[in-house]
Amino acid sequence: MRRKEMQGLQVFSESNTEAVQGKKIIYLYRLLKEAATESAKGIAFTTENGRTKSKDADTTATKDGTIRTPGALEVEITATSILAKGDTTIDKLEEALDNDEFLEIWEVNLLEKGTSSDAEKFKAKYFQGYLTELEYTSNAEDNVEVSLTFGCNGKGEAGYATVTKEQQELANYVFTDTQKTGS
């Protein structure tokens, strides 16, 4: 490539880049009213998550051309999972939808750890909002699928979240030794 063409390319050779697999981003949920008594929990058998930020914009025609005015930021988080028998997290979330209860949501990147003194902390985004949509899909040949949509207030806040070993297991198998685990 010619030098002029390379100026517009981002060069990655100076840093150690690694693609983030989808299973390394986990979402944890909690009813805000349970913050003092419950830890956040993940949804079993999650197959897909998503986070969308969007803004509508008004357009005003002027003699000099159009002017766009951005509207308010909207954040939506989606989750799709296979329904686990006896899943109380889904039950709580459905009750929260029915009763307009406020939720907390963490999006955690398990590839980006906190400092060495915070070994259980990982880069995260924190949101508050409501469950706005819940759909169960059950056809004759597949497992029951649950799709959730959360409408978040504000833009979310970046930080580091504590993630227990059990919560990390949502993203990978944890090595287990061959010795018996009972007493």
Side-chain angles (χ1 to χ4, degrees):
M1 272 188 195
R2 290 179 284 176
R3 184 167 183 77
K4 187 173 182 179
E5 290 173 353
M6 290 184 67
Q7 287 176 345
L9 297 176
Q10 187 173 3
V11 180
F12 293 105
S13 62
E14 294 177 15
S15 65
N16 183 13
T17 60
E18 179 180 350
V20 178
Q21 292 181 325
K23 68 181 183 176
K24 294 297 184 180
I25 304 291
I26 64 169
Y27 286 77
L28 303 169
Y29 310 89
R30 177 173 63 199
L31 273 70
L32 184 60
K33 71 179 186 180
E34 294 179 348
T37 59
E38 297 286 329
S39 294
K41 293 184 173 75
I43 297 173
F45 305 131
T46 298
T47 58
E48 187 172 291
N49 285 108
R51 175 168 53 96
T52 305
K53 286 183 166 185
S54 63
K55 287 185 179 186
D56 287 331
D58 292 329
T59 304
T60 305
T62 71
K63 293 178 183 180
D64 297 321
T66 58
I67 297 173
R68 294 186 61 88
T69 306
L73 178 69
E74 293 183 28
V75 178
E76 275 193 347
I77 292 174
T78 57
T80 303
S81 70
I82 304 300
L83 182 63
K85 182 178 177 182
D87 191 331
T88 58
T89 303
I90 294 290
D91 293 341
K92 278 187 176 186
L93 291 171
E94 185 169 0
E95 287 177 30
L97 174 64
D98 294 343
N99 299 318
D100 299 326
E101 294 184 68
F102 213 45
L103 299 166
E104 296 176 289
I105 305 161
W106 290 263
E107 175 188 88
V108 183
N109 183 340
L110 295 178
L111 280 183
E112 297 194 37
K113 290 188 173 192
T115 64
S116 60
S117 64
D118 292 326
E120 299 295 313
K121 290 194 180 262
F122 296 86
K123 184 177 179 180
K125 286 282 251 180
Y126 171 73
F127 302 91
Q128 291 183 344
Y130 296 93
L131 179 60
T132 59
E133 186 176 347
L134 178 131
E135 177 183 7
Y136 287 92
T137 305
S138 55
N139 70 48
E141 296 177 1
D142 292 322
N143 294 315
V144 175
E145 189 175 81
V146 182
S147 298
L148 307 158
T149 302
F150 301 87
C152 300
N153 291 350
K155 61 181 174 63
E157 290 296 325
Y160 287 84
T162 301
V163 181
T164 66
K165 294 290 183 200
E166 293 80 20
Q167 292 166 331
Q168 291 176 46
E169 288 175 12
L170 293 170
N172 14 307
Y173 290 106
V174 174
F175 179 82
T176 301
D177 201 353
T178 58
Q179 302 297 310
K180 57 183 168 180
T181 58
S183 49

